Amino acid sequence: MARILGGITTSHIPAIGKAIAEGQQQDPYWKPFFDGYPKVREWLGDQKPDIAIVIYNDHGLAFFLDQMPTFAIGAAHEYRNADEGWGLPALDPFPGAPEISWQIIEAMVADEFDITSCQELPVDHGFAVPMQLFWPDRKGMPRVVPVSANTVQHPIPTLKRCLDFGKSLRRAIQAIPDDLSVVVLGTGGLSHQLDGERAGFINREFDEMCMEKIVSDPEALTKISRYDLIRQAGSQGSEFLMWMMMRGALGDRVTALHRNYHIPISNTGAGTMVLQCDD
Ligand code: DHB
Ligand code: FE
């Protein structure tokens, strides 16, 4: 039976990919951010997951406003990133696990989550930057199952729906008969707004509350309306939905082994956590 080891969260800001490409990890601006990752890599090195479920929000590379699935799952043999205009390098393709993807899609559709299945899926910075942070030299990098959710085109899913998605994903993973270990990544957030009157808006207090509650009481976070999420976290703070999806997959009890929060990285409150499953 497949086992879920835990979850990792990270912001996925494109400027991080640029800093990696230019080797700026030790620069004073970047150091407090990159210092949050050795602990994560240590945990991954110990745990050696076979599969990473990478929950991210496509920003317009694979899906645009005209066709926007609420929840999409990749079922490809490999995934390539592509130029989105941020000046990030094209990376080697990320190996997929289509037979695992299809088992998850089958189980979740049977569980009444209507999934868009993607046999081709270009992956953007929301996927690629976290993979580079966690497996910088690709040593031990697991095969991936990308999961993209809509945080861009309203109506976006509710926090409750995203937590429920994660719970269904957990059941789907646990129904896979193979002896596999799985880590679930939730990328994006925390608070940020990239445009409009509140461009540059960051809310440390709200971010810290979310980092607290995602561990101890994720159900309480489902009481936040989508309007209030945007009001308190900024328009792109909607990416916290990815963290809710990840959290739902971890079961009732988790231990937070590591946590880092740094503001600002570019325009964003950058949060990193390692949550180990207790159940
Ligand atoms: C930034 C943050 C994001 O989540 C993103 O997708 C693009 C840019 C930023 O802060 O620059
Ligand atoms: Fe983003």
Side-chain angles (χ1 to χ4, degrees):
M1 183 183 110
R3 279 172 305 124
I4 301 170
L5 303 166
I8 308 177
T9 68
T10 181
S11 305
H12 60 216
I13 307 156
I16 302 165
K18 199 93 196 281
I20 293 172
E22 294 176 0
Q24 294 172 349
Q25 287 91 334
Q26 295 304 312
D27 284 14
Y29 178 84
W30 286 105
K31 192 172 172 359
F33 170 77
F34 281 103
D35 280 353
Y37 291 86
K39 277 255 157 56
V40 183
R41 293 195 283 265
E42 214 173 281
W43 184 77
L44 285 167
D46 289 345
Q47 300 289 322
K48 301 184 179 53
D50 301 306
I51 300 287
I53 312 279
V54 187
I55 302 175
Y56 73 108
N57 55 293
D58 181 89
H59 299 73
L61 179 69
F63 312 118
F64 200 56
L65 305 181
D66 55 340
Q67 292 174 340
M68 180 58 71
T70 301
F71 296 114
I73 298 184
H77 287 279
E78 63 175 29
Y79 302 91
R80 291 172 185 271
N81 76 330
D83 184 10
E84 302 167 66
W86 297 105
L88 298 179
L91 305 170
D92 287 340
F94 294 89
E99 79 289 4
I100 303 297
S101 296
W102 283 117
Q103 288 178 77
I104 292 172
I105 294 165
E106 285 270 1
M108 291 188 68
V109 172
D111 201 27
E112 301 181 347
F113 269 88
D114 304 318
I115 305 291
T116 301
S117 56
C118 304
Q119 297 192 62
E120 281 183 28
L121 183 64
V123 288
D124 73 5
H125 64 276
F127 174 101
V129 166
M131 293 299 289
Q132 288 181 282
L133 283 166
F134 299 147
W135 294 281
D137 53 11
R138 296 206 169 195
K139 207 169 134 268
M141 186 177 81
R143 295 192 295 148
V144 295
V145 175
V147 177
S148 176
N150 169 30
T151 63
V152 174
Q153 167 81 329
H154 292 272
I156 60 176
T158 64
L159 285 91
K160 177 173 186 305
R161 186 66 172 159
C162 288
L163 190 68
D164 287 347
F165 180 101
K167 291 177 185 175
S168 175
L169 173 63
R170 178 178 179 81
R171 291 189 288 273
I173 293 168
Q174 290 181 332
I176 297 171
D178 312 61
D179 180 22
L180 290 171
S181 59
V182 177
V183 66
V184 186
L185 314 184
T187 93
L190 286 165
S191 59
H192 61 305
Q193 172 145 346
L194 300 180
D195 44 26
E197 278 176 19
R198 293 200 305 163
F201 175 81
I202 289 178
N203 186 345
R204 173 191 276 272
E205 204 178 313
F206 184 73
D207 289 345
E208 288 183 339
M209 185 279 290
C210 288
M211 289 178 91
E212 205 65 51
K213 291 280 183 209
I214 197 103
V215 181
S216 59
D217 192 6
E219 302 293 338
L221 294 168
T222 65
K223 305 294 183 288
I224 299 171
S225 70
R226 289 166 291 177
Y227 181 88
D228 263 340
L229 180 64
I230 304 293
R231 192 174 64 78
Q232 301 214 62
S235 52
Q236 279 74 38
S238 58
E239 293 177 351
F240 183 65
L241 294 174
M242 307 304 98
W243 292 41
M244 292 296 281
M245 292 163 70
M246 180 269 329
R247 180 62 183 88
L250 305 188
D252 288 342
R253 293 184 312 120
V254 298
T255 303
L257 298 181
H258 173 64
R259 161 180 171 157
N260 192 53
Y261 180 74
H262 181 68
I263 51 172
I265 286 298
S266 188
N267 296 293
T268 298
T272 308
M273 302 184 84
V274 176
L275 305 182
Q276 184 160 279
C277 291
D278 293 333
D279 297 324

